[in-house]
Amino acid sequence: MALYTPHNWFIYCSRKGLPMLFGLMLISQSTTAYSQSTSIDFTQTQAAELIDKRCENCHNDYIFDGNWSVEDVDVTDISQGKNQRLWEAMLKSVSMGDMPPADKKQLTPEQKASFLHWLETSLNSYSKHNPNPGRATIRRLNRSEYANSVRDLLALDIDITQSLPGDDSGYGFDNNADVLGVSTTLLERYLSVAGKLSRLATGVAGASATKKNYLIPKDGPVKNSGVQAFDLRANDQLPLDSRGGGSFNFYAPITGTYDIAGYLNANTANEVDRLDNLRQNYKMTLAAGHHTIGLSFRKQLALTEGVPKVRKGTSYVVMPTQGPSLLDLDFIIDGARVHTIQVPSYYMSSRFSQAAFLRDILEIEVIGPLKTHDEPPPSHSPNDITATASTRKIFVCYPSSETGPASIKANSTQEIDCAHNIMANLANQAYRRPITDSDILPLLDVFKHARADLDFKSSIATSIQALLVSPSFLYIQEPTPANMEPGLVYKINDYEFATRLALFLWSSLPDKELADLAAKGTLREPKVLSQQIARMLSSHKAQSLTDNFAGQWLYLRNLPHHFPDVFEFPKFNIPLKQSIKRETELFFTRILKDNHSIFDFLNADYSYLNEQLAEHYGVPGVRGSAFRKVTLDSQTNRGGLLGQASILTLTSNPNHTSPVKRGKWILDNLLAASPPPPPPDVPALVAVHDGIALSAREQLAKHRADPVCAACHVRMDPLGLALEKYDAVGAFRHTYANQDIDVTATMPDGTHFEGLNGLHSILWDRRERFAEAFTDRLLTYALGRGLEPYDQPTIRKIAKQASTQDYRIHSIIEAVVASTPFNYKKAPEANNENQQIVKAH
C-alpha cells in the first residue's frame, strides 16, 4: 500500500526523477489549508469588489464568456441560497486555476486563498443551516441489481444479465432513477426471465433436454492470415497446465445425464464450420445446480504441433509440413479433469487447412438432461444429492402424509398453509421490509389458480414468478410517512436505509443480518454501522462495486466493445484485451479490499500483471498467465490509473491516440471538471498538411487557432498531450509520424510539466480536488441520482472527513453512508402532490 504524505511524496518524486521544483511545489499547503490559516478577514464587500474587477469584464450579459455572467449577481445571494450553481462553478474554476486565465492578471496567493475560503465557507454555512437531501425518485432495479437480488433471494447462482435488456445511463451510471424507465415490452421480458428462474430454483425445469452454447472469444484475421494461438491458460477455472479452450458457467436444472461437447478448430475466427467430425463429446452425470464446464488442451514446455510460417495473401493455401499428431483434449468440470480423449492436431479439408494454427476449440455446448435419475420423495436434508441450495432455501416445508405427498388434495389446508409459509419467507426478504397479509394474499391467489392444473412444486414456481415481477420487489419505494408536514426533511426508516446500503455496496438485497439490525433499530449506531460496512466490503458480494461502480467510473464496461485496428496493432489480441481489463479490476479491488488511500489511483507504484501484459509494458521478470502484484520503478513508465493500458486504450481511437479524449477523461473522472459540450459543426483535426503527417501536438495547435475551440482545448489538451508516449493500446513509444514525441505541456495557469511523471505531479497538486471528484462519483452511484449544486457542500464535508484518515477508501464510503442525502428525504412540497408508489392490480 502506498500512502503519500508530503514527506514520502517528496521521496517518491525524487525516485521517479521529477524535478526538485515539483517536490517543493507539492509539499506546499493547499489553497484551502492556506485560507484557513490566513489572518485576512475577507468580507462580502471585498468579494464584490474582486468579482466586479476580475470577473465581470468577461463574464457579463454581453460577452457571456464561458456561458455565464456575474452581472446580476449580488454577493448577498450566497447566504440566501440563490444562484448556487453559479457560485459553485466559480469556486471550482478558481480553485482549479482555470480562472483567471494565464493571459490575465492573476490573483495574489492571499487574494485567491481568501476568496476561495469565503466562497466555500459561505456555501457550506448555508447548506448546514438549510439541509437539502435532494430528490429520491422511485426507480426499478436495474438488470445487475435484479440479477444479484434473485441470486441472493433464491440462492440461485446463475447470471441472467444477458437475458435482460441493457439499461440506459444517467450521470455516468445505469442505476440512475431518471433513466430506468419501464415499458410493456420490458415487463414482458422480466416476466419471461422470472418464469425461467422460478422453475430452475424449484427444480421443476428440465422435463425435456435443452442446449446451452458458449462461443469462445477468438482473435480476428490480420491481413487475411489469422493470428497464431496463444500457448496460455485461458482462465482461472481451468487447470494450471492447460492451454487454449475455455469454460463457462452452467446450471443443471435437475440431476441427470448431460452431453458435453466441443467443436474443434484452429485458433482463429476465420473457420466457423460446425462439422460432425469436428465435434468431440462426453456424456456424464451432473448433479442439479451450478457447474463450471470447460474444455482445453495440455500446455507443454515445447509445443509438438507442426505450425508452418503464416504467409501473407490469399492466393493459395498453406500446406502442412507434416501429418497430424495426437493431442490430449480434457473435459473439465468444476476445475477438475473428468475425461480425456485424443484428437488430431489439425483438420484438412478440400477447401481449407487448419494446420497453420494451433489446435483449439471454437464452441462448447451442453445438451441435457438426456436421462433423469429416478427422483426419491422430496427431502431437504443437506445430504440429499437431488436437493440444491435453492430448493433447500425455498421449501421450508412440504405438504406430506403417511402415504406421501401424492395423497394430499390440491389446495388443501395443509398445502395452503405450507405455501403461505414459503411465500412469506421469501417475500420478507424480497420486499426489503416487514410484510403483511396483504402482501402474501395476491401470491397465494396465484398459487391457488396454478394448483388447479399443476402439481405443488410447479404452483410454487408460478407464485415465485409473480413475486419476482411484483412492484414491491422490482421497485425501490420509500413512501412518505403519514401526516408528514409538506417540505419537511425527515430521516428514512431503518429498513429503507438497509436497502440503500445493500444496493450501494452489493447491488443486491439486505441479508438477514442487516434486516435484523434494522428491525432492532440499531443499524445506524456508529459502531454497529462501521462494523457492518467492513463486513459487507469483505464479502464476495462487494465485487459489485468493482463491476458496477468502477466498471462505469473507469469505462471498463466499454472495453469489450472497443476494437483497436488489427493492421496498426497486430499483437493486440483477445487475451491481451482481457488482461488489461483484469489489471484495472484487480487494482481497484485491492484498493477497496485492503482499504488503501484513494491517492493510489493517481500515482501508485504497483500494479497487477501477468506475463503477456508485462511484455506489453516492457516489465521484465514476470512469468506465467497468473496475475500478481508487481512493484513499478521509474524505468517502467507506469503508475496509477493513467499508466494502465485499459484507460489508455479506451481513451484512444482504434488506429491512433486522442489527446482530446484522454484530457477530457481526466477532467471528467479524476477532477470532476468536465468541459462544456462542443459547439455544432466542429471541424475535424487535420492529420496531414502539405503532404506531411502532423503529430497530435501539431494537429491540436492548428485546431486551437479557432478561438471557439481554444476555450475548452486549453484545459484538455495539456493533460492528453502528456500521455502521447503511450500508443492507442497503451504500449510505450518514443516516436510518431517519424518525429520524436514531445510530452511537455502547460496548464491554463502557466504551470509547465512533462510526461506521465509530470502529470502525476499536476494531479497530486490537485489531490484535494481529486478526493472531491472521487466522492462526487461515489455519491452519485450511491444515491442513484445526479448531483446538484446543493450537494457540493456534502461532497466537501465527506472529503474533509476522509482527510483525517489519509483518504482511505473505507473512510469515504463510511462518510457517504452517514451523509444527509443518504439518510434523509424531503416530504412533498404540497399536500396534494402524488406519492411515487407502485401497486399491483
Side-chain angles (χ1 to χ4, degrees):
M1 179 173 64
L3 294 180
Y4 299 114
T5 63
H7 173 70
N8 63 24
W9 172 247
F10 182 84
I11 297 174
Y12 174 82
C13 292
S14 301
R15 181 171 59 81
K16 287 289 188 179
L18 298 179
M20 183 68 71
L21 176 61
F22 277 127
L24 296 174
M25 289 171 57
L26 299 183
I27 61 175
S28 63
Q29 285 183 297
S30 69
T31 302
T32 302
Y34 184 91
S35 66
Q36 291 171 346
S37 64
T38 183
S39 61
I40 296 177
D41 183 17
F42 201 73
T43 65
Q44 283 190 349
T45 302
Q46 290 172 301
E49 183 179 351
L50 188 148
I51 293 171
D52 178 63
K53 290 183 176 180
R54 296 300 185 88
C55 304
E56 194 168 338
N57 287 338
C58 298
H59 301 289
N60 55 54
D61 293 345
Y62 177 71
I63 301 177
F64 208 56
D65 203 0
N67 296 323
W68 51 291
S69 169
V70 297
E71 192 167 312
D72 297 325
V73 173
D74 192 283
V75 290
T76 61
D77 291 347
I78 198 169
S79 62
Q80 302 174 37
K82 297 180 180 178
N83 296 312
Q84 280 184 304
R85 187 177 301 278
L86 183 60
W87 292 117
E88 289 289 351
M90 192 180 300
L91 177 63
K92 180 183 293 186
S93 295
V94 176
S95 64
M96 287 284 294
D98 296 334
M99 293 289 127
D103 60 348
K104 302 292 183 181
K105 182 179 179 181
Q106 297 297 301
L107 301 175
T108 66
E110 292 81 6
Q111 285 178 319
K112 181 175 180 179
S114 298
F115 179 61
L116 289 174
H117 182 56
W118 173 80
L119 263 177
E120 184 175 318
T121 302
S122 300
L123 288 165
N124 292 350
S125 177
Y126 177 82
S127 176
K128 179 180 180 180
H129 294 95
N130 301 273
N132 186 351
R135 53 192 171 82
T137 310
I138 186 174
R139 71 172 179 88
R140 67 169 171 84
L141 299 173
N142 66 22
R143 67 174 182 175
S144 295
E145 294 166 339
Y146 185 85
N148 292 341
S149 296
V150 170
R151 176 200 65 198
D152 296 339
L153 176 67
L154 302 180
L156 189 64
D157 191 4
I158 179 172
D159 182 14
I160 59 167
T161 54
Q162 299 307 311
S163 301
L164 294 171
D167 299 299
D168 292 332
S169 293
Y171 295 90
F173 298 101
D174 63 2
N175 66 344
N176 186 276
D178 291 341
V179 299
L180 287 172
V182 179
S183 65
T184 303
T185 302
L186 182 65
L187 285 177
E188 288 177 349
R189 189 62 186 161
Y190 270 91
L191 185 63
S192 173
V193 170
K196 175 183 178 181
L197 293 171
S198 63
R199 291 191 295 274
L200 285 173
T202 54
V204 300
S208 59
T210 59
K211 181 166 66 174
K212 178 74 177 291
N213 295 77
Y214 171 66
L215 188 64
I216 296 176
K218 297 290 183 182
D219 292 312
V222 175
K223 299 181 180 179
N224 295 318
S225 296
V227 178
Q228 287 198 351
F230 45 96
D231 187 32
L232 297 174
R233 181 186 182 201
N235 58 52
D236 293 341
Q237 283 70 48
L238 297 174
L240 288 172
D241 60 341
S242 65
R243 77 150 179 88
S247 66
F248 74 108
N249 294 324
F250 174 76
Y251 192 89
I254 58 176
T255 300
T257 301
Y258 292 81
D259 184 27
I260 302 169
Y263 287 96
L264 304 183
N265 80 321
N267 188 56
T268 172
N270 289 354
E271 292 91 9
V272 295
D273 298 58
R274 272 75 164 174
L275 304 178
D276 289 341
N277 55 352
L278 295 179
R279 185 180 188 271
Q280 302 293 334
N281 71 306
Y282 174 65
K283 295 179 181 179
M284 67 172 295
T285 299
L286 294 178
H290 174 269
H291 298 279
T292 301
I293 309 294
L295 280 82
S296 70
F297 295 97
R298 301 285 178 92
K299 182 177 176 64
Q300 300 178 4
L301 294 178
L303 293 176
T304 58
E305 300 179 53
V307 181
K309 182 178 179 180
V310 180
R311 301 176 185 174
K312 298 179 181 179
T314 58
S315 58
Y316 56 87
V317 174
V318 179
M319 297 300 293
T321 58
Q322 62 186 52
S325 57
L326 293 179
L327 305 175
D328 288 332
L329 174 65
D330 296 318
F331 291 77
I332 301 159
I333 309 298
D334 301 328
R337 292 185 174 101
V338 297
H339 185 66
T340 301
I341 60 176
Q342 290 191 320
V343 298
S345 57
Y346 68 84
Y347 174 71
M348 185 81 176
S349 79
S350 57
R351 296 189 296 109
F352 60 85
S353 167
Q354 291 185 337
F357 304 96
L358 299 182
R359 194 64 150 160
D360 206 357
I361 300 160
L362 175 69
E363 184 177 358
I364 303 174
E365 69 177 17
V366 181
I367 302 175
L370 304 178
K371 177 184 178 183
T372 60
H373 295 267
D374 294 335
E375 189 173 348
S379 169
H380 306 291
S381 166
N383 298 321
D384 178 16
I385 63 170
T386 66
T388 64
S390 297
T391 57
R392 283 191 290 268
K393 181 172 184 180
I394 292 170
F395 292 104
V396 294
C397 63
Y398 204 98
S400 60
S401 69
E402 294 181 359
T403 57
S407 65
I408 299 298
K409 185 177 179 181
N411 282 329
S412 66
T413 301
Q414 191 179 26
E415 277 201 351
I416 297 300
D417 289 344
C418 182
H420 184 282
N421 291 339
I422 290 172
M423 299 315 300
N425 181 59
L426 293 175
N428 191 55
Q429 183 181 7
Y431 292 172
R432 302 171 287 268
R433 57 172 172 77
I435 58 170
T436 63
D437 286 340
S438 62
D439 294 313
I440 303 303
L441 289 178
L443 300 174
L444 279 181
D445 286 341
V446 172
F447 171 83
K448 293 173 183 178
H449 283 91
R451 189 66 176 95
D453 301 309
L454 304 172
D455 61 19
F456 177 80
K457 291 177 67 176
S458 298
S459 300
I460 289 292
T462 305
S463 297
I464 293 175
Q465 180 183 16
L467 172 70
L468 296 182
V469 293
S470 63
S472 293
F473 177 70
L474 193 55
Y475 292 87
I476 307 301
Q477 307 189 65
E478 298 171 345
T480 303
N483 303 319
M484 184 66 66
E485 182 180 343
L488 183 68
V489 174
Y490 68 94
K491 181 179 284 189
I492 61 176
N493 66 47
D494 279 17
Y495 293 104
E496 293 166 343
F497 176 80
T499 296
R500 289 188 178 188
L501 183 60
L503 287 172
F504 174 30
L505 301 183
W506 286 347
S507 296
S508 186
L509 302 166
D511 63 359
K512 187 177 186 303
E513 188 167 340
L514 284 178
D516 288 346
L517 290 171
K520 294 177 183 177
T522 60
L523 177 57
R524 279 186 278 200
E525 292 179 1
K527 185 176 181 181
V528 173
L529 182 57
S530 181
Q531 291 172 343
Q532 288 302 307
I533 291 174
R535 177 183 72 88
M536 295 176 73
L537 292 176
S538 66
S539 167
H540 71 278
K541 291 191 282 189
Q543 178 65 30
S544 66
L545 276 174
T546 299
D547 297 337
N548 300 328
F549 170 67
Q552 295 179 89
W553 171 46
L554 302 176
Y555 300 179
L556 296 180
R557 285 188 179 181
N558 299 343
L559 196 54
H561 312 292
H562 184 85
F563 300 97
D565 191 319
V566 293
F567 292 91
E568 291 290 333
F569 309 105
K571 293 183 179 180
F572 190 85
N573 53 22
I574 292 293
L576 182 56
K577 178 186 283 192
Q578 294 170 338
S579 293
I580 66 174
K581 183 172 184 283
R582 185 62 177 154
E583 175 195 16
T584 306
E585 290 174 339
L586 287 172
F587 183 69
F588 179 88
T589 300
R590 290 328 312 166
I591 291 175
L592 178 68
K593 293 289 187 181
D594 295 340
N595 194 20
H596 286 195
S597 167
I598 61 170
F599 295 146
D600 279 14
F601 290 123
L602 297 182
N603 44 37
D605 61 353
Y606 64 88
S607 192
Y608 294 84
L609 310 178
N610 63 3
E611 181 176 356
Q612 186 178 27
L613 187 54
E615 289 180 355
H616 186 62
Y617 287 171
V619 176
V622 179
R623 296 290 181 266
S625 60
F627 279 83
R628 78 294 311 263
K629 184 177 180 179
V630 176
T631 301
L632 306 172
D633 58 35
S634 59
Q635 303 303 314
T636 62
N637 299 298
R638 302 287 166 178
L641 288 171
L642 295 178
Q644 296 180 9
S646 60
I647 307 301
L648 295 165
T649 300
L650 286 166
T651 53
S652 297
N653 293 314
N655 60 352
H656 62 86
T657 59
S658 173
V660 175
K661 287 185 178 180
R662 288 176 174 176
K664 185 178 184 302
W665 188 92
I666 294 171
L667 290 175
D668 287 344
N669 297 286
L670 302 186
L671 297 173
S674 303
D681 302 323
V682 174
L685 297 178
V686 178
V688 178
H689 181 68
D690 291 337
I692 300 175
L694 300 179
S695 67
R697 181 179 296 274
E698 292 168 332
Q699 294 177 42
L700 290 171
K702 292 180 67 66
H703 192 69
R704 285 195 303 272
D706 185 342
V708 176
C709 302
C712 293
H713 281 274
V714 72
R715 299 172 58 206
M716 295 185 294
D717 293 357
L719 303 174
L721 287 170
L723 298 173
E724 266 300 281
K725 283 194 174 180
Y726 301 91
D727 67 17
V729 293
F732 195 75
R733 61 184 181 177
H734 292 281
T735 61
Y736 178 75
N738 297 320
Q739 300 181 48
D740 290 337
I741 298 175
D742 179 7
V743 290
T744 58
T746 305
M747 295 296 289
D749 63 358
T751 304
H752 298 278
F753 65 101
E754 181 176 357
L756 179 62
N757 289 339
L759 185 53
H760 281 165
S761 300
I762 291 293
L763 294 174
W764 179 259
D765 206 23
R766 292 157 176 78
R767 58 193 178 277
E768 291 182 352
R769 183 64 213 164
F770 168 70
E772 292 179 8
F774 180 80
T775 302
D776 179 293
R777 295 285 79 204
L778 195 65
L779 188 61
T780 300
Y781 176 78
L783 298 178
R785 66 168 174 84
L787 300 187
E788 302 293 344
Y790 52 72
D791 292 307
Q792 297 306 310
T794 297
I795 292 172
R796 290 190 287 271
K797 181 180 179 181
I798 292 171
K800 184 177 180 180
Q801 287 177 295
S803 69
T804 63
Q805 299 184 49
D806 296 321
Y807 293 97
R808 293 179 183 271
I809 193 169
H810 288 191
S811 68
I812 296 179
I813 291 173
E814 289 186 12
V816 165
V817 170
S819 67
T820 295
F822 199 86
N823 285 265
Y824 289 83
K825 281 188 67 175
K826 180 183 285 189
E829 296 287 350
N831 288 321
N832 61 351
E833 186 174 335
N834 291 331
Q835 286 285 311
Q836 291 186 325
I837 301 298
V838 180
K839 296 182 179 180
H841 296 283

